[in-house]
Amino acid sequence: ASAWGLHTDHTAVAALEAATVAARNQVLATLQAAGLVRANGSRDTKLAKKQMLAAMGEDHRKTATGDVCLDADACEASEDTLLEAYAEYSTLDKVLSNDIPALYKGTTTPIQTRYGLADTGRTTSSGPNIQNVRRLPGIRECFRPRPGYVYAQADYHAFELFALAQTCLDLFGTSALADALNAGLDPHTQVASVILGKTYEETKALVKAKDHDAEMARQTAKVSGFGFPGGLGFARLVDFAHKGYGVTITEAEARILKGQWFQAWPEMRQFFAHVDTLKQENGYTLQVKRSGRWRSGASYCAACNSHFQGLAADGAKAALFLVSRACYVEPTSPLFGSRIVAFVHDEIILESPIDKAPEAAEELSRLMVLGAREHMPDMSIRAEPCLMSVWSKQAATLRDDAGRLMVWNPST
């Protein structure tokens, strides 16, 4: 088993390193011209703090000690060109000092991350963290299957939203979100229709036609769908919207958005009321349905998250067990001989022999749905299969005229 893991391509890593050095040097020249980085490469934090105060005034973020915060999120939230460059320089520097060396190691020996368990029930990953690969273009594409193999991959569609809907069904017996998901509707378009005051079909047509207002409404709906269920307050949601989705809203607009979100999914008022009942002296205590796993001493946001994140995590790990068993001990399975090389919350990636890969990916998808349904029996779970020549977020499911899966590669 020690021979299995994620492998990287030396040429791809070298190209990424060269591109990153060029990008860092370009940003460095801008920052040195402004005095934010000295000639020896060290940062002038005093000047950077002055820049932050000039850009944000008293609205600037603070560190735990009350000082001016200069982390990447704070710099990006400032919308100041120089401070954004300051954050980018830090990111590129970390890629060169941390990510590139780790990627080079994968060209000679397999990268085998260490998995752990978070309080919500989700897995963690370290040494390196493959569950949170930097978004810098080209990093994932350094990972390549070995000769004679391709990546067979599947990931769940809107998995945590399905888990949230199942949680509400278990708690209250009804869920508008569950009805929408099981009917094949897009929940973000549903909330966008409330924002726009239009029907679902009208909004769907506008989004498809790339109408600007409709696209922005759907993007804003994503903010509500991924922010409010975890108990985010209005101030934190404003930051969440800007950082994660490029949506700029005020706290007042966030309040309106929450009302629109409640209009789409009225059961969420009951959900938060239920979480309120779980508070005890040492925090919130809850039990995840199906697995029966308990969590205590949680914060309010953690209690909100643990209901559906925990359920999704339990379903994904049940699927992981089924897939592992098929790969190792079921000779008649299309997965026998494939090996799991990455588990990324709602995504499983295998190295599969090329001649068996299409059937392996289909079976991977089937087992992932089967495992998840042990924990979400009332939901129409989906896990789209895909074959990849490299690991990429851009990968798509491709089929030939007979419907058999084909391998996606960056030049497809």
Side-chain angles (χ1 to χ4, degrees), residues 44-303:
D44 189 333
T45 55
K46 287 185 178 180
L47 186 58
K49 290 175 183 178
K50 288 182 180 179
Q51 185 77 17
M52 179 65 77
L53 290 170
M56 299 293 289
E58 291 304 314
D59 293 330
H60 70 85
R61 295 187 184 182
K62 298 178 178 64
T63 65
T65 60
D67 200 0
V68 177
C69 183
L70 292 174
D71 66 15
D73 291 346
C75 289
E76 290 171 7
S78 72
E79 298 186 349
D80 180 90
T81 303
L82 281 175
L83 290 173
E84 288 175 341
Y86 190 86
E88 184 181 2
Y89 177 73
S90 297
T91 297
L92 295 173
D93 224 21
K94 288 178 182 177
V95 169
L96 289 170
S97 61
N98 298 335
D99 297 83
I100 296 297
L103 291 170
Y104 270 125
K105 287 181 180 179
T107 66
T108 55
T109 57
I111 295 173
Q112 296 174 315
T113 188
R114 176 173 294 180
Y115 290 102
L117 197 63
D119 289 339
T120 60
R122 295 183 100 197
T123 55
T124 61
S125 168
S126 60
N129 183 355
I130 65 163
Q131 294 185 329
N132 189 24
V133 177
R134 295 186 196 275
R135 295 182 181 181
L136 187 71
I139 291 185
R140 276 186 175 84
E141 286 72 13
C142 289
F143 293 97
R144 310 287 174 90
R146 291 177 296 177
Y149 294 82
V150 295
Y151 286 146
Q153 178 258 13
D155 63 350
Y156 292 110
H157 170 70
F159 200 36
E160 287 195 353
L161 289 179
F162 275 84
L164 176 62
Q166 181 68 62
T167 297
C168 290
L169 286 174
D170 289 339
L171 290 172
F172 318 122
T174 183
S175 168
L177 178 59
D179 293 342
L181 290 169
N182 285 338
L185 302 183
D186 173 44
H188 308 308
T189 300
Q190 181 67 34
V191 175
S193 70
V194 176
I195 294 172
L196 295 173
K198 298 181 180 296
T199 67
Y200 176 86
E201 292 301 329
E202 288 172 337
T203 305
K204 180 181 176 181
L206 288 171
V207 170
K208 186 176 181 179
K210 298 189 181 300
D211 176 83
H212 178 266
D213 289 344
E215 287 187 318
M216 285 305 301
R218 187 176 181 279
Q219 190 74 348
T220 304
K222 285 185 178 181
V223 173
S224 67
F226 295 124
F228 287 133
L232 284 188
F234 300 118
R236 288 183 63 193
L237 190 87
V238 169
D239 290 338
F240 176 75
H242 178 78
K243 175 189 172 185
Y245 299 90
V247 173
T248 301
I249 58 174
T250 64
E251 288 189 38
E253 289 168 332
R255 290 178 183 276
I256 295 172
L257 177 60
K258 191 168 188 178
Q260 294 165 329
W261 181 70
F262 277 144
Q263 186 176 338
W265 320 125
E267 67 271 23
M268 293 311 299
R269 292 186 185 274
Q270 292 175 272
F271 176 78
F272 292 129
H274 169 74
V275 173
D276 287 339
T277 67
L278 304 177
K279 188 173 183 180
Q280 298 182 353
E281 288 185 6
N282 66 333
Y284 292 78
T285 298
L286 65 135
Q287 186 178 32
V288 179
K289 297 292 183 180
R290 302 292 187 278
S291 69
R293 181 165 45 80
W294 286 91
R295 182 178 183 185
S296 64
S299 67
Y300 175 76
C301 288

Side-chain angles (χ1 to χ4, degrees), residues 332-380:
T332 60
S333 171
L335 288 177
F336 190 71
S338 296
R339 294 291 183 264
I340 299 170
V341 294
F343 175 63
V344 190
H345 302 308
D346 58 357
E347 174 185 14
I348 297 176
I349 303 176
L350 313 177
E351 260 191 3
S352 295
I354 289 176
D355 60 338
K356 296 176 63 175
E359 292 72 28
E362 299 285 12
E363 181 66 359
L364 170 64
S365 171
R366 187 186 75 84
L367 290 180
M368 286 177 66
V369 170
L370 185 64
R373 280 184 177 159
E374 292 179 22
H375 298 265
M376 302 178 219
D378 302 309
M379 301 305 301
S380 300

